[in-house]
Amino acid sequence: MKVIIDIEDSCVKYHLELDRRINFIVGDSGTGKTTIVDLVNSSLNDSSISINTNIELYPVTLLSWRNDIKSLTNKLIIMDDLEVVSTMEFASLVKNYCIKNNLYFLIGYLY
């Protein structure tokens, strides 16, 4: 499945098409990686932020990522600059739950 995401507010607009289950947005500081996560988080309480996608977006935190990966289904999990993505624990959880729970990942990673 191709995941399509359009996120927009009064200042920025993002259009993403993801062909893989695990996707990284890589870049220097200030290139917009955190902005995407912030917009998704803010959209829960701010009707001026428009998000259109063919799968539900779910931002995770440093405290919640383990349980979220194990328990969520049919979601695009959004993570921002979490050092956990380079650990064996993260790799193991993704391997065990990604296909079983129909999960996709969008990870902002500081280059």
Side-chain angles (χ1 to χ4, degrees), residues 25-109:
I25 298 175
V26 180
D28 293 326
S29 179
T31 57
K33 300 175 308 295
T34 300
T35 301
I36 292 174
V37 176
D38 290 345
L39 286 170
V40 171
N41 284 328
S42 297
S43 71
L44 302 172
N45 300 315
D46 186 344
S47 62
S48 70
I49 300 170
S50 169
I51 297 180
N52 295 304
T53 183
N54 58 344
I55 191 168
E56 185 178 348
L57 307 181
Y58 192 92
V60 299
T61 67
L62 188 56
L63 297 175
S64 70
W65 70 271
R66 286 177 188 86
N67 290 333
D68 290 338
I69 291 173
K70 292 176 187 177
S71 64
L72 294 172
T73 59
N74 303 313
K75 304 271 189 283
L76 172 65
I77 293 176
I78 298 179
M79 306 171 79
D80 182 43
D81 287 336
L82 299 181
E83 62 271 4
V84 300
V85 299
S86 60
T87 66
M88 291 301 293
E89 181 182 13
F90 178 78
S92 177
L93 284 172
V94 169
K95 179 181 177 186
N96 290 327
Y97 292 96
C98 192
I99 293 177
K100 180 171 86 171
N101 289 4
N102 192 35
L103 298 176
Y104 294 81
F105 292 83
L106 180 62
I107 302 165
Y109 199 77

Coordinates of all heavy atoms in Angstrom, one line a residue, residues 25-109:
I25 N 12.8 10.7 7.3 CA 13.1 12.1 6.8 C 14.4 12.5 7.4 O 14.5 12.6 8.7 CB 11.9 13.0 7.2 CG1 10.6 12.6 6.6 CG2 12.3 14.5 6.8 CD1 9.4 13.4 7.1
V26 N 15.4 12.7 6.6 CA 16.7 12.9 7.1 C 17.1 14.4 6.7 O 16.9 14.8 5.5 CB 17.7 11.9 6.5 CG1 19.1 12.2 7.0 CG2 17.3 10.5 6.9
G27 N 17.7 15.1 7.6 CA 18.2 16.4 7.3 C 18.8 17.1 8.4 O 18.8 16.7 9.6
D28 N 19.4 18.2 8.1 CA 20.1 19.1 9.1 C 19.0 19.7 10.0 O 17.8 19.7 9.7 CB 20.9 20.2 8.5 CG 22.1 19.7 7.7 OD1 22.6 18.7 8.1 OD2 22.4 20.3 6.6
S29 N 19.4 20.2 11.1 CA 18.6 20.9 12.0 C 17.9 22.1 11.3 O 18.5 22.8 10.5 CB 19.4 21.5 13.2 OG 18.6 22.2 14.1
G30 N 16.6 22.3 11.5 CA 15.9 23.4 10.9 C 15.3 23.1 9.5 O 14.8 24.0 8.8
T31 N 15.3 21.9 9.1 CA 14.8 21.6 7.7 C 13.4 21.1 7.7 O 12.8 20.8 6.6 CB 15.7 20.5 7.0 OG1 15.7 19.3 7.9 CG2 17.1 21.0 6.8
G32 N 12.7 21.0 8.9 CA 11.2 20.8 8.9 C 10.8 19.4 9.4 O 9.7 19.1 9.4
K33 N 11.8 18.6 9.8 CA 11.4 17.3 10.3 C 10.5 17.3 11.6 O 9.5 16.7 11.6 CB 12.7 16.5 10.7 CG 13.7 16.3 9.6 CD 15.0 15.6 10.0 CE 15.7 16.3 11.1 NZ 16.2 17.6 10.9
T34 N 10.9 18.1 12.5 CA 10.1 18.3 13.7 C 8.8 19.0 13.5 O 7.8 18.7 14.1 CB 10.9 19.0 14.8 OG1 12.1 18.3 15.1 CG2 10.1 19.2 16.1
T35 N 8.8 19.9 12.5 CA 7.5 20.6 12.1 C 6.4 19.6 11.7 O 5.3 19.8 12.1 CB 7.8 21.6 11.0 OG1 8.8 22.5 11.4 CG2 6.5 22.3 10.6
I36 N 6.8 18.6 11.0 CA 5.7 17.6 10.6 C 5.1 16.9 11.9 O 3.9 16.8 12.0 CB 6.3 16.5 9.7 CG1 6.7 17.2 8.3 CG2 5.4 15.4 9.5 CD1 7.4 16.3 7.4
V37 N 6.0 16.5 12.8 CA 5.5 15.9 14.0 C 4.7 16.9 14.8 O 3.6 16.5 15.3 CB 6.7 15.3 14.8 CG1 6.2 14.7 16.2 CG2 7.4 14.3 14.1
D38 N 5.2 18.1 14.9 CA 4.4 19.1 15.7 C 3.1 19.4 15.1 O 2.1 19.6 15.8 CB 5.2 20.4 15.8 CG 6.4 20.3 16.7 OD1 6.5 19.3 17.4 OD2 7.3 21.2 16.6
L39 N 3.0 19.4 13.8 CA 1.7 19.7 13.1 C 0.7 18.5 13.4 O -0.5 18.8 13.6 CB 1.9 19.9 11.6 CG 2.5 21.2 11.2 CD1 2.8 21.1 9.7 CD2 1.5 22.3 11.5
V40 N 1.2 17.3 13.3 CA 0.3 16.2 13.6 C -0.2 16.2 15.1 O -1.4 16.1 15.3 CB 1.0 14.8 13.3 CG1 0.2 13.6 13.8 CG2 1.3 14.7 11.8
N41 N 0.7 16.5 16.0 CA 0.3 16.6 17.4 C -0.7 17.8 17.6 O -1.6 17.6 18.3 CB 1.6 16.9 18.3 CG 2.4 15.6 18.5 OD1 1.8 14.5 18.6 ND2 3.7 15.8 18.7
S42 N -0.4 18.9 17.0 CA -1.2 20.1 17.2 C -2.6 19.9 16.5 O -3.6 20.5 16.9 CB -0.6 21.3 16.6 OG 0.6 21.6 17.3
S43 N -2.7 19.1 15.5 CA -3.9 19.0 14.7 C -5.0 18.4 15.6 O -6.2 18.5 15.3 CB -3.7 18.1 13.5 OG -3.5 16.7 13.8
L44 N -4.7 17.7 16.7 CA -5.7 17.1 17.6 C -6.5 18.2 18.2 O -7.7 18.0 18.6 CB -5.0 16.2 18.6 CG -4.1 15.1 18.1 CD1 -3.4 14.4 19.2 CD2 -5.0 14.1 17.3
N45 N -5.9 19.4 18.4 CA -6.6 20.5 19.1 C -6.7 21.7 18.3 O -7.2 22.7 18.8 CB -5.8 20.8 20.4 CG -5.8 19.6 21.3 OD1 -6.7 19.0 21.6 ND2 -4.6 19.4 21.9
D46 N -6.3 21.7 17.0 CA -6.2 22.9 16.2 C -6.9 22.7 14.9 O -6.3 22.0 14.0 CB -4.8 23.4 16.1 CG -4.7 24.7 15.4 OD1 -5.7 25.2 14.7 OD2 -3.6 25.3 15.4
S47 N -8.1 23.2 14.7 CA -8.8 22.9 13.4 C -8.2 23.7 12.2 O -8.6 23.4 11.1 CB -10.3 23.3 13.6 OG -10.4 24.7 13.9
S48 N -7.2 24.6 12.4 CA -6.6 25.3 11.3 C -5.6 24.4 10.6 O -5.1 24.8 9.6 CB -6.0 26.6 11.7 OG -4.9 26.4 12.5
I49 N -5.2 23.3 11.2 CA -4.3 22.3 10.6 C -5.1 21.3 9.9 O -5.9 20.6 10.4 CB -3.3 21.7 11.6 CG1 -2.6 22.8 12.3 CG2 -2.4 20.7 11.0 CD1 -1.8 22.4 13.6
S50 N -4.8 21.1 8.6 CA -5.5 20.2 7.7 C -4.6 19.0 7.5 O -3.4 19.1 7.0 CB -5.8 20.8 6.4 OG -6.3 19.9 5.5
I51 N -5.1 17.8 7.8 CA -4.3 16.5 7.5 C -5.3 15.6 6.7 O -6.3 15.3 7.2 CB -3.9 15.8 8.8 CG1 -2.9 16.7 9.5 CG2 -3.2 14.5 8.4 CD1 -2.3 16.2 10.8
N52 N -4.8 15.2 5.5 CA -5.5 14.2 4.7 C -4.6 13.1 4.4 O -3.5 13.3 4.0 CB -6.0 14.8 3.4 CG -7.0 15.9 3.6 OD1 -8.0 15.7 4.3 ND2 -6.7 17.1 3.1
T53 N -5.0 11.9 4.7 CA -4.2 10.7 4.5 C -5.1 9.5 4.4 O -6.2 9.5 4.8 CB -3.2 10.5 5.7 OG1 -2.3 9.4 5.4 CG2 -3.9 10.3 7.0
N54 N -4.5 8.4 3.9 CA -5.2 7.2 3.7 C -4.9 6.2 4.9 O -5.3 5.0 4.8 CB -5.0 6.5 2.4 CG -3.5 6.2 2.1 OD1 -2.6 6.8 2.8 ND2 -3.2 5.4 1.1
I55 N -4.3 6.6 5.9 CA -4.0 5.8 7.1 C -3.9 6.8 8.3 O -3.5 7.9 8.2 CB -2.8 5.0 7.0 CG1 -2.7 3.9 8.1 CG2 -1.5 5.8 6.9 CD1 -1.6 2.9 7.9
E56 N -4.4 6.3 9.5 CA -4.3 7.2 10.6 C -2.9 7.5 11.1 O -2.1 6.5 11.2 CB -5.1 6.6 11.8 CG -5.3 7.5 13.0 CD -6.1 6.9 14.1 OE1 -6.8 5.9 13.9 OE2 -6.1 7.5 15.2
L57 N -2.6 8.7 11.4 CA -1.3 9.1 11.9 C -1.2 9.0 13.4 O -2.2 9.4 14.0 CB -0.9 10.5 11.4 CG -1.0 10.8 9.9 CD1 -0.6 12.2 9.6 CD2 -0.2 9.8 9.1
Y58 N -0.1 8.5 13.9 CA 0.0 8.4 15.4 C 1.4 8.8 15.8 O 2.3 8.0 15.6 CB -0.4 7.0 15.8 CG -0.6 6.8 17.3 CD1 -1.8 6.9 17.8 CD2 0.5 6.6 18.1 CE1 -2.0 6.8 19.2 CE2 0.4 6.5 19.5 CZ -0.9 6.6 20.0 OH -1.1 6.5 21.4
P59 N 1.5 10.0 16.4 CA 2.9 10.3 16.9 C 3.2 9.6 18.2 O 2.3 9.5 19.1 CB 2.8 11.8 17.1 CG 1.3 12.1 17.2 CD 0.6 11.0 16.5
V60 N 4.4 9.1 18.4 CA 4.8 8.5 19.6 C 5.9 9.3 20.3 O 6.5 10.1 19.7 CB 5.3 7.0 19.4 CG1 4.2 6.2 18.8 CG2 6.5 7.0 18.5
T61 N 6.1 9.1 21.6 CA 7.0 9.8 22.4 C 8.1 8.8 22.9 O 8.0 7.6 22.8 CB 6.4 10.4 23.6 OG1 5.9 9.4 24.5 CG2 5.2 11.3 23.2
L62 N 9.1 9.4 23.4 CA 10.2 8.6 24.0 C 9.7 7.7 25.1 O 10.2 6.6 25.3 CB 11.3 9.5 24.6 CG 12.6 8.9 25.0 CD1 13.2 8.1 23.9 CD2 13.6 10.0 25.5
L63 N 8.6 8.1 25.8 CA 8.1 7.3 26.9 C 7.1 6.2 26.4 O 7.0 5.2 27.0 CB 7.4 8.2 27.9 CG 8.3 9.2 28.6 CD1 7.4 10.1 29.5 CD2 9.3 8.5 29.4
S64 N 6.5 6.4 25.2 CA 5.4 5.5 24.8 C 5.7 4.6 23.7 O 5.0 3.7 23.4 CB 4.2 6.3 24.4 OG 4.4 7.0 23.2
W65 N 6.9 4.7 23.0 CA 7.1 4.0 21.8 C 7.0 2.5 21.9 O 6.5 1.8 21.0 CB 8.4 4.5 21.1 CG 9.6 4.0 21.8 CD1 10.3 4.7 22.8 CD2 10.4 2.9 21.6 NE1 11.4 4.0 23.2 CE2 11.5 2.9 22.5 CE3 10.3 1.8 20.7 CZ2 12.4 1.9 22.6 CZ3 11.2 0.8 20.8 CH2 12.3 0.8 21.7
R66 N 7.5 1.9 23.0 CA 7.5 0.5 23.1 C 6.1 -0.1 23.1 O 5.7 -1.0 22.4 CB 8.2 0.0 24.4 CG 9.7 0.1 24.4 CD 10.3 -0.2 25.8 NE 11.7 0.0 25.8 CZ 12.2 1.2 26.2 NH1 11.4 2.2 26.5 NH2 13.5 1.4 26.2
N67 N 5.3 0.4 24.0 CA 3.9 0.0 24.1 C 3.1 0.3 22.9 O 2.2 -0.5 22.5 CB 3.2 0.6 25.4 CG 3.8 0.0 26.6 OD1 4.3 -1.1 26.7 ND2 3.7 0.7 27.7
D68 N 3.3 1.5 22.3 CA 2.6 1.9 21.1 C 2.9 0.9 19.9 O 1.9 0.4 19.3 CB 3.0 3.3 20.6 CG 2.4 4.3 21.6 OD1 1.5 4.0 22.4 OD2 3.0 5.4 21.6
I69 N 4.1 0.5 19.7 CA 4.4 -0.4 18.6 C 3.8 -1.7 18.8 O 3.3 -2.4 17.9 CB 5.9 -0.5 18.4 CG1 6.5 0.8 17.9 CG2 6.3 -1.7 17.5 CD1 8.0 0.8 17.8
K70 N 3.7 -2.2 20.1 CA 3.1 -3.5 20.4 C 1.6 -3.5 20.3 O 1.0 -4.5 19.9 CB 3.5 -3.9 21.8 CG 4.9 -4.2 22.0 CD 5.2 -4.6 23.5 CE 6.7 -4.7 23.8 NZ 6.9 -5.0 25.2
S71 N 0.9 -2.4 20.6 CA -0.5 -2.4 20.7 C -1.3 -1.7 19.5 O -2.4 -2.0 19.3 CB -0.9 -1.7 22.0 OG -0.5 -0.3 21.9
L72 N -0.6 -0.9 18.7 CA -1.3 -0.2 17.6 C -1.5 -1.1 16.4 O -0.7 -2.0 16.2 CB -0.6 1.0 17.2 CG -0.5 2.1 18.3 CD1 0.5 3.2 17.8 CD2 -1.9 2.7 18.6
T73 N -2.6 -0.9 15.7 CA -2.8 -1.5 14.4 C -3.2 -0.5 13.4 O -3.9 0.5 13.7 CB -3.9 -2.7 14.5 OG1 -5.1 -2.1 14.9 CG2 -3.4 -3.7 15.4
N74 N -2.9 -0.8 12.1 CA -3.3 0.1 11.0 C -3.0 1.5 11.2 O -3.9 2.4 11.0 CB -4.8 -0.1 10.7 CG -5.2 -1.5 10.4 OD1 -4.5 -2.2 9.7 ND2 -6.2 -2.0 11.1
K75 N -1.8 1.9 11.5 CA -1.4 3.2 11.8 C 0.0 3.5 11.1 O 0.8 2.7 10.8 CB -1.2 3.4 13.3 CG -2.3 3.1 14.2 CD -3.2 4.3 14.4 CE -4.3 4.1 15.4 NZ -5.4 3.2 15.0
L76 N 0.2 4.8 10.9 CA 1.5 5.3 10.5 C 2.0 6.0 11.8 O 1.5 7.0 12.2 CB 1.4 6.4 9.4 CG 2.7 7.1 9.1 CD1 3.7 6.2 8.5 CD2 2.4 8.2 8.1
I77 N 3.0 5.4 12.3 CA 3.7 5.8 13.5 C 4.7 6.9 13.2 O 5.5 6.7 12.3 CB 4.3 4.7 14.3 CG1 3.2 3.7 14.8 CG2 5.2 5.2 15.5 CD1 3.7 2.5 15.5
I78 N 4.6 8.0 13.8 CA 5.5 9.2 13.5 C 6.4 9.3 14.7 O 5.9 9.5 15.9 CB 4.7 10.4 13.2 CG1 3.9 10.2 12.0 CG2 5.6 11.6 13.1 CD1 3.0 11.4 11.6
M79 N 7.7 9.4 14.5 CA 8.7 9.5 15.5 C 9.6 10.6 15.1 O 10.0 10.7 13.9 CB 9.5 8.2 15.7 CG 8.6 7.0 15.9 SD 9.5 5.5 15.9 CE 10.3 5.5 17.5
D80 N 10.1 11.4 16.0 CA 11.0 12.5 15.7 C 12.3 12.4 16.6 O 12.3 12.5 17.8 CB 10.4 13.8 16.0 CG 11.2 15.0 15.6 OD1 11.9 14.9 14.6 OD2 11.3 16.0 16.4
D81 N 13.4 12.2 15.9 CA 14.8 12.3 16.5 C 14.9 11.4 17.8 O 15.5 11.8 18.7 CB 15.2 13.7 16.8 CG 15.5 14.5 15.5 OD1 15.9 13.8 14.5 OD2 15.4 15.7 15.5
L82 N 14.3 10.3 17.8 CA 14.4 9.4 18.9 C 15.6 8.5 18.8 O 15.8 7.8 17.8 CB 13.1 8.5 19.1 CG 11.8 9.3 19.3 CD1 10.7 8.3 19.5 CD2 11.9 10.2 20.5
E83 N 16.5 8.6 19.8 CA 17.7 7.8 19.7 C 17.4 6.3 19.7 O 18.3 5.5 19.3 CB 18.7 8.1 20.8 CG 18.1 7.9 22.2 CD 17.4 9.0 22.8 OE1 17.1 10.0 22.1 OE2 16.9 8.9 24.0
V84 N 16.2 5.9 20.0 CA 15.9 4.5 20.0 C 15.9 3.8 18.7 O 16.0 2.6 18.6 CB 14.5 4.3 20.7 CG1 14.5 4.8 22.1 CG2 13.4 4.9 19.9
V85 N 15.7 4.5 17.6 CA 15.7 3.9 16.3 C 16.9 3.1 15.9 O 16.9 2.3 15.0 CB 15.2 4.9 15.1 CG1 13.9 5.5 15.4 CG2 16.3 5.9 14.9
S86 N 18.0 3.4 16.5 CA 19.3 2.7 16.2 C 19.5 1.6 17.2 O 20.6 1.0 17.1 CB 20.4 3.7 16.2 OG 20.6 4.3 17.5
T87 N 18.6 1.2 18.0 CA 18.8 0.1 18.9 C 18.3 -1.2 18.4 O 17.4 -1.3 17.6 CB 18.1 0.4 20.3 OG1 16.7 0.4 20.1 CG2 18.5 1.8 20.9
M88 N 18.8 -2.3 19.0 CA 18.3 -3.6 18.6 C 16.9 -3.8 19.1 O 16.1 -4.6 18.5 CB 19.3 -4.7 19.2 CG 20.6 -4.7 18.6 SD 20.5 -5.1 16.8 CE 20.0 -6.7 16.8
E89 N 16.5 -3.2 20.2 CA 15.2 -3.4 20.8 C 14.2 -2.8 19.8 O 13.1 -3.4 19.5 CB 15.0 -2.6 22.1 CG 13.7 -2.8 22.7 CD 13.5 -2.0 24.0 OE1 14.4 -1.2 24.4 OE2 12.5 -2.3 24.7
F90 N 14.4 -1.6 19.2 CA 13.5 -1.1 18.2 C 13.5 -2.0 17.0 O 12.4 -2.3 16.5 CB 14.0 0.3 17.8 CG 13.2 1.0 16.8 CD1 12.0 1.6 17.1 CD2 13.6 1.0 15.4 CE1 11.2 2.1 16.1 CE2 12.8 1.6 14.4 CZ 11.6 2.2 14.8
A91 N 14.6 -2.4 16.5 CA 14.6 -3.3 15.3 C 13.8 -4.6 15.6 O 13.1 -5.0 14.7 CB 16.1 -3.7 15.0
S92 N 13.9 -5.1 16.7 CA 13.2 -6.4 17.1 C 11.7 -6.1 17.1 O 10.9 -6.9 16.6 CB 13.7 -6.9 18.4 OG 12.9 -8.0 18.8
L93 N 11.3 -5.0 17.7 CA 9.8 -4.7 17.8 C 9.3 -4.4 16.4 O 8.2 -4.9 16.1 CB 9.6 -3.5 18.7 CG 9.7 -3.7 20.2 CD1 9.6 -2.4 21.0 CD2 8.6 -4.7 20.7
V94 N 10.0 -3.7 15.6 CA 9.5 -3.4 14.3 C 9.4 -4.7 13.5 O 8.4 -5.0 12.8 CB 10.4 -2.4 13.5 CG1 10.1 -2.3 12.1 CG2 10.3 -1.0 14.2
K95 N 10.4 -5.6 13.6 CA 10.4 -6.9 12.9 C 9.2 -7.7 13.3 O 8.5 -8.3 12.5 CB 11.7 -7.6 13.2 CG 11.7 -9.0 12.5 CD 13.0 -9.7 12.8 CE 13.0 -11.1 12.2 NZ 14.2 -11.8 12.6
N96 N 8.9 -7.7 14.6 CA 7.8 -8.5 15.1 C 6.4 -8.0 14.9 O 5.4 -8.7 14.8 CB 8.0 -8.8 16.6 CG 9.2 -9.7 16.9 OD1 9.5 -10.6 16.1 ND2 9.8 -9.4 18.0
Y97 N 6.2 -6.7 14.8 CA 4.9 -6.1 14.8 C 4.5 -5.3 13.5 O 3.4 -5.0 13.3 CB 4.7 -5.1 16.0 CG 4.7 -5.9 17.3 CD1 5.8 -6.0 18.1 CD2 3.5 -6.5 17.7 CE1 5.8 -6.7 19.3 CE2 3.4 -7.2 18.9 CZ 4.6 -7.3 19.7 OH 4.6 -8.1 20.9
C98 N 5.5 -5.0 12.7 CA 5.3 -4.1 11.6 C 4.2 -4.7 10.6 O 3.2 -4.1 10.3 CB 6.6 -3.8 10.8 SG 6.5 -2.6 9.6
I99 N 4.4 -5.9 10.2 CA 3.5 -6.5 9.2 C 2.3 -7.1 9.9 O 1.2 -6.9 9.5 CB 4.2 -7.6 8.4 CG1 5.2 -6.9 7.5 CG2 3.2 -8.4 7.6 CD1 6.1 -7.8 6.6
K100 N 2.5 -7.7 11.1 CA 1.4 -8.3 11.8 C 0.4 -7.3 12.2 O -0.8 -7.6 12.1 CB 2.0 -9.0 13.1 CG 1.0 -9.7 14.0 CD 1.6 -10.5 15.1 CE 1.9 -9.6 16.3 NZ 2.3 -10.4 17.5
N101 N 0.8 -6.1 12.6 CA -0.2 -5.1 13.0 C -0.4 -4.0 11.9 O -1.1 -3.0 12.2 CB 0.3 -4.4 14.3 CG 0.2 -5.3 15.5 OD1 -0.1 -6.4 15.4 ND2 0.6 -4.7 16.6
N102 N 0.1 -4.2 10.7 CA -0.1 -3.3 9.6 C 0.4 -1.9 10.0 O -0.4 -0.9 9.9 CB -1.5 -3.3 9.1 CG -1.6 -2.5 7.7 OD1 -0.7 -2.6 6.9 ND2 -2.7 -1.8 7.5
L103 N 1.6 -1.8 10.4 CA 2.2 -0.5 10.9 C 3.1 0.0 9.8 O 3.8 -0.7 9.1 CB 3.0 -0.7 12.2 CG 2.2 -1.1 13.4 CD1 3.1 -1.4 14.6 CD2 1.1 -0.1 13.7
Y104 N 3.1 1.3 9.7 CA 4.1 2.1 8.9 C 4.8 3.1 9.8 O 4.2 3.5 10.8 CB 3.4 2.8 7.7 CG 2.7 1.9 6.7 CD1 1.5 1.3 7.0 CD2 3.4 1.6 5.6 CE1 0.9 0.4 6.1 CE2 2.8 0.7 4.6 CZ 1.6 0.1 4.9 OH 1.0 -0.7 4.0
F105 N 6.0 3.5 9.4 CA 6.8 4.4 10.2 C 7.3 5.5 9.4 O 7.8 5.3 8.3 CB 8.0 3.7 10.9 CG 7.6 2.6 11.9 CD1 7.3 1.3 11.5 CD2 7.6 2.9 13.2 CE1 6.9 0.4 12.4 CE2 7.3 2.0 14.2 CZ 6.9 0.7 13.8
L106 N 7.2 6.7 10.0 CA 7.8 7.9 9.4 C 8.7 8.5 10.5 O 8.2 8.9 11.6 CB 6.8 9.0 9.0 CG 7.3 10.2 8.4 CD1 8.1 10.0 7.1 CD2 6.2 11.2 8.1
I107 N 10.0 8.5 10.3 CA 10.9 8.8 11.4 C 11.8 10.0 10.9 O 12.4 10.0 9.9 CB 11.9 7.6 11.7 CG1 11.0 6.4 12.1 CG2 12.9 8.0 12.8 CD1 11.7 5.1 12.1
G108 N 11.7 11.1 11.7 CA 12.5 12.3 11.5 C 13.9 12.0 12.1 O 13.9 11.6 13.3
Y109 N 14.9 12.1 11.4 CA 16.2 11.8 11.9 C 17.2 12.8 11.6 O 17.4 13.2 10.4 CB 16.7 10.4 11.3 CG 17.7 9.7 12.1 CD1 17.5 9.0 13.2 CD2 19.1 9.7 11.6 CE1 18.4 8.4 13.9 CE2 20.1 9.0 12.3 CZ 19.7 8.4 13.5 OH 20.7 7.7 14.2

